[in-house]
Amino acid sequence: MPDHRKRILLLSAYRADSHAAWADWLTSTFDAFDWQLLELPGRHFRWRIRGNPISWLDALATTEVDAVIATSMVDLATLRGLQPHLAALPTLYYVHENQFAYPLGPQQVDSVDPQMVQIYAALAADRIAFNSAFNRDSFLEGMATLLGRMPDAVPSGIRDRLTERSAILPVPIQPTAVAGGTRDPGLILWNHRWEYDKAPEVFAEAMLTLAGSGVDFRLALLGPRPANAPEPLQKLREALGNRIIADGKLPRSEYDALLGRAGIVVSTARHEFQGLAVLEASAAGATPLVPDALAYREQYPDACRYPQGDVDTLTERLQAWLQQGPPPAPDVRAWTPGRLEPDWQGMLDDLVAGSRKRPRVSRG
């Protein structure tokens, strides 16, 4: 019996944790479509963002689909040029993270090339979706600033053109299977990558200062980390080893159990375009304390935010919460599958229908 489902090609050029979770959710949830998924491993950033049209050169040559979804690591403009049979198809460009608001690492080269790849991709797409208003706004503002630095021959109204075809479609947080255990209001959770863009040195300094004040607390140090432990993690292990109840990237069941047990989840991030880790912890009942910046301003009330990078205020707020109890966890049901699936369904239906009108989904 022939399969009459509409065929969607999903291109994800960097299968890291959040990208993988989104792709897996999308392809398993909307099974009314026939998904064809092509992914590349989440490593070698510079090669991935420029080389994916070459990596997929042969794999895409015979692909027959009705629509294309490409993530923000995909060089969509080049890919459509190399694959003429895909160029005429309706295409959604999904921006997980943009290169205008991503902080430069200590070993990274400052280059506009990744930013230009994303500008070209956005212009090549029929539709653009961002996972937060912060992501959209920082992309559009960064693009306008970069093009404003060019010497001449920049068409007017590019920002308006992209705004017209843009929507806000967050990645849903996955329901956490929290057993009916006892919550520990003194358990502080860190569930981020131990890398420069998450500023773990700020977190470590706050924890060491907090310990020096004599306040009782415990730590769950989760999230991926390099083989050689970064200095902030080493400092915490050496000074606060007796307070650490978990240390490592855990199996999902153990991770969920700690989300359901922790009283507080902390972020010190320098970039966060949606922040799935904190959203998941908040959904499980932990109270977030996050920078007053980035996507967090869309998600959490003032009581849960502190000035970005301000170790003193972070420490003082935590001390008060540990001594008096944290405020209730905020309501984050707006980021759950039940709330977001209808919006995604509408976008996908419009996409495969080939409609080029402005997307009807917009939350920001």
Side-chain angles (χ1 to χ4, degrees):
M1 184 174 181
D3 188 345
H4 297 294
R5 294 178 300 170
K6 291 288 188 177
R7 298 160 298 178
I8 301 178
L9 173 64
L10 176 54
L11 299 172
S12 180
Y14 203 83
R15 187 178 169 88
D17 288 349
S18 60
H19 297 231
W22 167 79
D24 293 345
W25 171 79
L26 202 61
T27 55
S28 63
T29 299
F30 300 99
D31 55 7
F33 302 104
D34 179 10
W35 293 94
Q36 299 186 34
L37 175 63
L38 286 180
E39 297 175 299
L40 294 168
R43 56 177 183 263
H44 310 312
F45 168 81
R46 293 283 173 176
W47 167 236
R48 286 289 178 265
I49 199 167
R50 287 302 275 141
N52 54 84
I54 296 175
S55 299
W56 288 323
L57 187 65
D58 295 332
L60 292 175
T62 58
T63 299
E64 295 183 6
V65 292
D66 299 295
V68 177
I69 298 176
T71 66
S72 47
M73 285 290 289
V74 175
D75 185 355
L76 182 61
T78 299
L79 187 144
R80 295 186 87 170
L82 291 173
Q83 306 287 349
H85 65 294
L86 299 180
L89 298 178
T91 303
L92 169 66
Y93 183 53
Y94 190 69
V95 185
H96 284 276
E97 52 200 25
N98 74 75
Q99 295 304 309
F100 298 98
Y102 208 107
L104 195 67
Q107 306 300 322
Q108 294 178 340
V109 177
D110 190 4
S111 169
V112 300
D113 192 52
Q115 297 170 349
M116 292 302 300
V117 168
Q118 293 194 324
I119 293 175
Y120 292 141
L123 288 168
D126 300 303
R127 297 157 177 272
I128 312 162
F130 297 86
N131 55 6
S132 68
F134 166 72
N135 193 1
R136 177 198 60 194
D137 296 345
S138 59
F139 177 91
L140 294 172
E141 290 166 10
M143 178 198 67
T145 298
L146 175 60
L147 294 181
R149 288 162 41 198
M150 299 301 105
D152 61 10
V154 177
S156 62
I158 290 181
R159 178 172 181 166
D160 290 339
R161 298 181 209 181
L162 297 186
T163 300
E164 282 297 309
R165 65 183 81 162
S166 294
I168 308 300
L169 274 177
V171 176
I173 55 176
Q174 295 307 304
T176 301
V178 179
T182 302
R183 188 168 300 280
D184 179 357
L187 176 57
I188 299 174
L189 176 71
W190 166 276
N191 57 343
H192 314 276
R193 287 181 286 105
W194 290 81
E195 297 183 21
Y196 74 95
D197 56 307
K198 304 301 183 183
E201 71 280 359
V202 176
F203 175 74
E205 183 178 349
M207 295 305 101
L208 294 172
T209 303
L210 196 62
S213 70
V215 179
D216 180 46
F217 66 93
R218 285 147 297 288
L219 291 172
L221 306 179
L222 309 181
R225 70 279 311 272
N228 296 323
E231 184 178 354
L233 180 56
Q234 290 178 341
K235 286 183 177 180
L236 290 174
R237 287 171 172 172
E238 293 168 2
L240 305 178
N242 61 331
R243 298 176 185 256
I244 299 173
I245 68 164
D247 183 1
K249 186 176 181 180
L250 302 177
R252 186 70 206 199
S253 60
E254 296 178 33
Y255 178 82
D256 287 348
L258 281 170
L259 294 190
R261 180 179 167 190
I264 302 168
V265 58
V266 173
S267 170
T268 52
R270 294 192 178 99
H271 106 271
E272 201 65 85
F273 293 107
Q274 183 175 347
L276 291 173
V278 177
L279 280 170
E280 287 184 348
S282 300
T287 301
L289 188 54
V290 299
D292 183 21
L294 314 172
Y296 295 133
R297 289 177 174 169
E298 304 166 45
Q299 300 163 339
Y300 307 112
D302 292 348
C304 294
R305 305 197 307 266
Y306 67 94
Q308 187 176 38
D310 188 337
V311 178
D312 291 339
T313 301
L314 171 60
T315 306
E316 291 168 4
R317 190 80 62 81
L318 285 172
Q319 182 171 349
W321 284 10
L322 290 166
Q323 292 175 330
Q324 304 165 18
D331 184 352
V332 294
R333 285 176 292 179
W335 288 271
T336 57
R339 296 285 185 88
L340 291 174
E341 282 180 20
D343 292 342
W344 274 102
Q345 184 72 62
M347 175 64 83
L348 295 173
D349 288 342
D350 285 349
L351 181 68
V352 298
S355 171
R356 300 201 175 193
K357 65 185 179 181
R358 182 179 177 181
R360 64 189 181 191
V361 180
S362 183
R363 293 174 173 269

